[in-house]
Coordinates of all heavy atoms in Angstrom, one line a residue:
P423 N 10.1 17.1 16.8 CA 10.0 18.5 17.2 C 9.7 18.5 18.7 O 9.3 17.6 19.3 CB 8.9 19.1 16.3 CG 8.0 17.9 16.0 CD 8.9 16.7 16.0
L477 N 13.7 0.1 -14.3 CA 14.8 -0.5 -15.0 C 15.3 -1.8 -14.3 O 15.2 -1.9 -13.1 CB 16.0 0.5 -15.0 CG 15.7 1.9 -15.6 CD1 16.9 2.7 -15.4 CD2 15.4 1.7 -17.1
M548 N 19.0 -13.5 -0.3 CA 18.3 -13.3 1.0 C 18.2 -14.6 1.8 O 18.3 -14.6 3.1 CB 16.9 -12.9 0.8 CG 16.7 -11.5 0.2 SD 17.7 -10.2 0.9 CE 19.0 -10.1 -0.3
P609 N 17.2 22.5 -9.0 CA 18.1 23.5 -9.5 C 19.4 23.7 -8.5 O 19.3 23.5 -7.3 CB 17.3 24.8 -9.5 CG 16.3 24.5 -8.5 CD 16.0 23.1 -8.6
F716 N 27.0 16.2 -9.3 CA 27.6 16.4 -8.0 C 28.8 17.3 -8.0 O 29.0 18.2 -7.2 CB 28.0 15.0 -7.4 CG 26.8 14.2 -6.9 CD1 26.9 12.9 -7.0 CD2 25.6 14.8 -6.4 CE1 25.8 12.1 -6.5 CE2 24.6 14.1 -6.0 CZ 24.6 12.7 -6.1

Side-chain angles (χ1 to χ4, degrees):
L477 302 176
M548 294 311 101
F716 286 148

